[in-house]
Amino acid sequence: SRLLNTLEAVFGISIVVLLILVVNKNGLSNNPLFCVLSVIFLLGYYLAWVFYYRGVVHPWLLIIGIAGMPPLYFLCAGLWLNNLTVVIPCLIFGLVHVCITCSTYLT
């Protein structure tokens, strides 16, 4: 729907803007877990695209790999950067992004 697409765009852009403009003066998280998770989610996203371009077009690959991984990546990157302002936009973006993908590929 037009509303979901607008919400997806607004919150997707807001995540990138918040990650660039909001800098925590305390620096990075002392816990490397969020950095490792962001790398895993980013690699999972790219791997899902490899499968997709090789002809594996299973709905769950699209929902989990292509729609679910980007918001998880941004969430973990934000937490690693101690940028808590991205948490809510990431959750909303993720929910909307997955809903759009489900409505497209599960119907």
Side-chain angles (χ1 to χ4, degrees):
S1 86
R2 187 179 199 121
L3 175 63
L4 287 179
N5 288 326
T6 302
L7 287 172
E8 179 186 39
V10 166
F11 283 99
I13 292 167
S14 70
I15 292 167
V16 174
V17 169
L18 288 170
L19 284 172
I20 292 170
L21 296 181
V22 176
V23 178
N24 189 319
K25 302 279 189 217
N26 296 327
L28 302 176
S29 169
N30 289 328
N31 187 350
L33 174 67
F34 295 122
C35 181
V36 171
L37 286 173
S38 13
V39 169
I40 290 169
F41 290 133
L42 187 60
L43 291 175
Y45 174 71
Y46 289 135
L47 186 61
W49 276 109
V50 168
F51 280 117
Y52 179 79
Y53 281 118
R54 294 184 138 248
V56 180
V57 189
H58 191 277
W60 290 107
L61 171 72
L62 298 172
I63 293 165
I64 295 169
I66 295 176
M69 295 290 172
L72 292 171
Y73 162 75
F74 285 122
L75 177 65
C76 289
L79 292 173
W80 179 60
L81 294 169
N82 273 329
N83 184 340
L84 299 180
T85 61
V86 300
V87 172
I88 299 299
C90 281
L91 295 174
I92 295 170
F93 171 72
L95 180 65
V96 173
H97 199 51
V98 169
C99 283
I100 290 171
T101 305
C102 286
S103 69
T104 303
Y105 293 103
L106 291 181
T107 56

